[in-house]
């Protein structure tokens, strides 16, 4: 029996780093805090969950093999939902949304990366909650009953949402620190040499040039419109 079940929901068109960033950190939860102290979670089990066990391709063509289906996945202690360009189709997949809702209502931690927040919202898990998502989509959060709060990581109760793509790595460290202790989180950080020093300080509209921001707004426009329509369609049918 696992002493901590981690579950990552994947679907066609996910953004791989939304998934693999927190996966890399959280899957190391069994790291001991020191040479003399044993791990608090020596039997962590990581589940990669999809509709079937067939390979799932990311929005850049990288394929992943699920370990569990919606039917075989055990009760999760932590649920993580990534985003990606396949989100619109995922929102229309009632089996996927039902699985997220079912697991999210009993999990200790309910988490999302980037626009994966809208799958939590579609499952009814963000109603009245403070939340965040990718900066280009934060205005859509009220469509799932969420209250947008500025922040790379936003926590409301047991729900932890994070901003775009790389923010998933940071939220994962914050959860590890809470669950296993800061010593474990710091050991994992050192182990994967997470010491970011990007050549440009342009990772948020507050810092990026006007030209870069305009470009990214335009490139996200069609996806933004599609997600809005998908959420409004769900609302018109009387679902979250």
């Amino acid at each position: 029996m696992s002493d901590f079940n981690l579950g990552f929901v994947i679907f066609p068109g996910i953004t791989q780093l939304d998934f693999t960033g927190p996966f890399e950190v959280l899957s190391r939860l069994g790291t001991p805090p020191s040479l003399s102290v044993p791990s608090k979670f020596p039997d962590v089990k990581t589940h990669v969950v999809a509709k079937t066990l067939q390979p799932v391709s990311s929005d850049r063509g990288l394929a992943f093999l699920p370990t569990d289906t919606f039917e075989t996945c055990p009760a999760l202690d932590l649920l993580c939902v990534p985003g990606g360009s396949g989100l619109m189709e995922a929102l229309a997949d009632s089996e996927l949304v039902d699985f997220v809702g079912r697991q999210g209502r009993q999990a200790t931690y309910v988490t999302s990366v980037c626009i994966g927040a809208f799958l939590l919202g579609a499952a009814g898990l963000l109603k009245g909650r403070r939340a965040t998502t990718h900066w280009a989509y934060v205005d859509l959060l009220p469509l799932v009953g969420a209250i947008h709060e500025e922040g790379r990581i936003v926590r409301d109760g047991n729900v932890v949402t994070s901003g775009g793509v790389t923010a998933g790595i940071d939220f994962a460290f914050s959860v590890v620190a809470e669950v296993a202790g800061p010593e474990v989180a710091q050991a994992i950080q050192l182990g994967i040499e997470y010491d970011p020093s990007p050549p440009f300080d342009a990772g948020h509209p507050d810092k990026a040039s006007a030209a870069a921001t305009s470009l990214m707004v335009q490139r996200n426009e069609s996806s933004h419109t599609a997600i809005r329509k998908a959420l409004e369609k769900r609302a018109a049918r009387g679902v979250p």
Side-chain angles (χ1 to χ4, degrees):
M1 293 290 291
S2 170
D3 50 28
F4 202 95
N5 280 304
L6 299 163
F8 296 85
V9 181
I10 63 173
F11 51 87
I14 62 166
T15 294
Q16 65 87 12
L17 191 55
D18 282 14
F19 161 45
T20 58
F23 179 97
E24 188 65 43
V25 176
L26 290 166
S27 64
R28 297 170 183 254
L29 186 61
T31 301
S34 70
L35 290 173
S36 59
V37 179
S39 169
K40 186 177 179 181
F41 300 102
D43 297 310
V44 174
K45 179 70 174 178
T46 305
H47 305 270
V48 179
V49 192
K51 197 166 187 175
T52 73
L53 294 179
Q54 295 301 307
V56 175
S57 292
S58 76
D59 54 13
R60 292 293 182 267
L62 185 63
F64 300 99
L65 283 176
T67 61
D68 299 85
T69 67
F70 300 152
E71 290 75 27
T72 64
C73 182
L76 298 172
D77 295 290
L78 183 146
L79 170 70
C80 183
V81 182
S85 63
L87 181 75
M88 284 66 74
E89 291 77 12
L91 287 170
D93 187 334
S94 60
E95 291 181 56
L96 191 160
V97 174
D98 288 348
F99 173 80
V100 170
R102 185 170 67 252
Q103 288 283 355
R105 283 187 289 274
Q106 61 79 43
T108 304
Y109 294 92
V110 179
T111 72
S112 66
V113 183
C114 198
I115 57 175
F118 296 108
L119 271 173
L120 294 186
L125 301 172
L126 292 185
K127 285 186 176 180
R129 301 273 194 171
R130 293 174 288 106
T132 193
T133 186
H134 187 285
W135 62 265
Y137 300 86
V138 294
D139 61 306
L140 299 181
L141 284 169
L143 293 178
V144 292
I147 303 160
H148 173 231
E149 181 174 296
E150 288 287 345
R152 189 164 169 84
I153 305 166
V154 172
R155 178 166 182 174
D156 190 331
N158 71 327
V159 176
V160 185
T161 52
S162 56
V165 192
T166 60
I169 298 172
D170 295 350
F171 108 72
F173 276 116
S174 71
V175 171
V176 170
E178 178 173 324
V179 172
E183 298 84 4
V184 174
Q186 291 173 41
I188 295 172
Q189 182 177 0
L190 178 59
I192 65 173
E193 200 172 348
Y194 180 55
D195 188 24
S197 182
F200 306 105
D201 190 16
H204 189 273
D206 292 344
K207 303 174 181 178
S209 68
T213 301
S214 296
L215 174 64
M216 288 298 103
V217 168
Q218 183 181 47
R219 286 178 66 86
N220 281 280
E221 185 175 2
S222 61
S223 178
H224 184 283
T225 299
I227 292 173
R228 175 184 289 277
K229 288 181 177 178
L231 295 174
E232 289 175 343
K233 184 176 180 181
R234 290 182 63 86
R237 298 202 314 268
V239 293

